[in-house]
Amino acid sequence: MKRTRATGWIFSTALFFLAQGARAQTVTIPVETRNNALVFQADANRNVGIVYMGARLQDKNEYALATGMYKQTSDYSGVANAAYATSGTRNLFEPALSVTHVDGNNSLDLQYVRHESKQLDNNTSLLSIYLKDPVYNFEVTLFCKSWFNEDVTEQWSEIKHNEKGKVTLHKYASAGLYLKASSYWLRQYHGDWAREMQPEEAKLTHGIKTVDSKLGTRANLFQPSVFMVSLDKPATEDEGTVLYGALEWSGNFRVDLELDNRDNLRIMAGINNYASPYTLQPGEVFTTPAFLSVLSTKGKGAASRQLHNWARNYKILDGKGTRLTLLNNWEATYFDFNENKLKELLKDTRKLGVDLFLLDDGWFANKYPRNNDNAGLGDWGENKKKLPNGIATLVQEAQQNQVKFGIWVEPEMVNPKSELYEQHPDWVVKQVSRPEHYFRNQLVLDLSNPAVQDFVFGVVDNLFTKNPALAYIKWDCNAVIYNAHAAKLGNQSHFYVQYVQGLYNVLKRLRAKYPTVPMMLCSGGGGRVDYAALQYFTEFWPSDNTDPLERIFMQWEYSYFYPSVSMSAHVTDWGKQPIKFRTDVAMMGKLGFDIVVSHLKEKDLQFCQEALKTYESLKPVIWQGDQYRLQSPADHDVASLLYLNEARSRGVVFNYLVNNRYEAGSVLPIRLKGLDAKKRYTLKEVNVFPGTSSGIDSSKSYSGEFLMTVGFNPDVKQGRNSVVIEIKAVD
Ligand code: DGJ
């Protein structure tokens, strides 16, 4: 988690650091992006607050005038708008940082010392604001990295001291924001297995609303850290001011949204301090994870397109690259397979026309064979009965079938019924004197232990060493942490933090050795996706629930935060819909299949094969294009989404019937967005089921203006419940 401090700072402002106690001049520090500004200010008493967050102003000097326009009741403390609130001094609200010094004193006051801003490249800047306590030898640097074109910022802090002993950090948030509006509307998410990303949107009331996780790992299972806050009124896709936020951290997190006595909103986000007071040695630097935010004054659609661009350009591993379509055997076989069966599936992979076969859970363990989920996890030798010739033979067989081969692992976990557990009981997270409690019959390995990190690294490294042609990893994580205790860890209250740091150590090592191999971030569904993890993974598994109707809703919500190139979507046998509907939905993300190909009816197979060819041609638009959510499944009978390339010359619209009541359908035309009003476009239905024909006349053309003003009716109805339309500009 340590970042090396970049050298070669360019000092942007005349710096000052007056003697302790003296009044200083006010320093206004705007962080400007193409459309927005986040403005910090050090006042005459050297308190650093946030004085503005909103649309960028032409004249930088006017930011300093903003505060004077608010006639709210007084700020009794003078630090209500603190950029990084402390405790034990004047702050009357939730702190970002709370400490106990070596002498037992609990007070902290962080005062402005200086700031620097550095242009990292033509799109990225880094602001550092140095703060110091005038009484204790304790300092914090606030960082704000901003991406000009995407309006995205990341904020984090470095905390250190040089006191004569250890200082305890009771709370150590990454950053705070301070917003002013007449009302605030929070959209947050909750869920469980197969019910990820269930939205709730409500007006924030006074006091603190906390969105958090204490699950340790698979931390987003009940609640992810992603959220959005609309200012003044609930933002729509195209209107209103909305802030998206997320913590880049794959463990316990905590986001506090505090509506204060003056009706201003303070947002504080960071690692959850639950059971985790952190003891900081003199000279040690604690770097908090980044808090990500994007602000839009043009509604939710613009915010998500900005975020998608940022994620693909700067964050997701190989975000601008390609992805592999695949056939997974999880739902086709579960644990019940052998070499011969898999050889047949490899032939099916080729027949279907996908790039890769993905062998799922159940291929390993001998003393306690992995024939169900209560044994074998942790014992990563191939199961000799199922695979007498090992993985190597399957990789070769895949090559003969001209497809690639990928494999499932869950290297952080262990079944008590395993040799690993017998040999290394002290590698397992558990309270030795208390009964074990299992989540999916398994326990979590202690990644705070370097020996365990080596083991986990080794699981994947050995697979690649033995099978250099291995082309894909599905990395699963099915348990939360109960009985958090790590046998080898000196300070148990560091466990939750060091678990995640240990995980990142392993992933960094793997990526140093295998920089590009695609890896899916899976957690028995979407329990783990965040932008820290996605630096190591090319894609994530949103949910084990692949019922396409459910996926329309879930992927809709995920799409606010994550681009489709990162979202794995498989055609399975979940749900009652025909194969066309299931495939049409999976095509909105990174397409895969998890079905028994040999059970498909002739026309169904033919449809899938043709759909894969269509996907091949459309995937650049789906993965890299701008996404416009046209009609929400929550409010309409027909859900509709458009992906459009940068040149606005090619796009694809996915339309689905999500209401099965009498005469439900696309009664009204659906207005497209983002097109060039002056261009003319043809619309052609694709993914037409063999033996049927489309009623849409692809020879007709319409102006962009018409399609965005009047709209187009895809004629979605019972019996025609999913319609995919390719849009092309006429030359
Ligand atoms: C949970 C995953 O989400 C599934 O796709 C599958 O890989 C199982 N684990 C295997 O145990």
Side-chain angles (χ1 to χ4, degrees), residues 340-358:
N340 287 339
K341 210 168 181 178
L342 293 179
K343 283 184 172 170
E344 288 308 308
L345 295 186
L346 282 164
K347 289 194 188 101
D348 288 347
T349 309
R350 168 106 173 110
K351 190 169 164 193
L352 182 62
V354 290
D355 301 317
L356 174 130
F357 175 74
L358 170 60

Side-chain angles (χ1 to χ4, degrees), residues 330 335 360-361 370 408 440 474 476 478 522 524-525 541 544:
W330 175 239
F335 297 96
D360 215 286
D361 195 355
R370 181 75 171 167
W408 177 97
R440 205 196 188 203
K474 175 177 178 181
D476 210 345
N478 284 287
C522 176
W541 184 234
D544 274 358

Side-chain angles (χ1 to χ4, degrees), residues 432-461:
V432 183
S433 48
R434 297 184 190 278
E436 291 177 0
H437 192 73
Y438 307 123
F439 200 109
R440 205 196 188 203
N441 306 309
Q442 64 194 52
L443 292 166
V444 178
L445 293 176
D446 169 20
L447 268 175
S448 71
N449 179 346
V452 175
Q453 292 173 25
D454 288 345
F455 170 80
V456 173
F457 171 82
V459 171
V460 180
D461 188 38

Side-chain angles (χ1 to χ4, degrees), residues 611-683:
L612 274 158
K613 287 186 191 125
T614 306
Y615 188 70
E616 185 61 27
S617 124
L618 287 174
K619 68 189 187 187
V621 181
I622 297 171
W623 293 347
Q624 300 297 334
D626 279 332
Q627 187 190 51
Y628 293 85
R629 287 173 295 266
L630 303 176
Q631 279 194 184
S632 152
D635 310 325
H636 297 86
D637 291 347
V638 174
S640 183
L641 283 106
L642 162 69
Y643 299 80
L644 195 62
N645 70 356
E646 209 185 337
R648 296 189 283 171
S649 58
R650 190 159 181 235
V652 53
V653 197
F654 292 93
N655 308 279
Y656 312 101
L657 186 68
V658 292
N659 181 356
N660 283 325
R661 295 193 68 181
Y662 179 66
E663 284 199 333
S666 55
V667 179
L668 305 176
I670 295 169
R671 289 194 193 104
L672 306 190
K673 292 177 186 173
L675 303 177
D676 183 336
K678 295 201 180 75
K679 283 194 168 109
R680 293 196 72 79
Y681 295 90
T682 55
L683 287 85

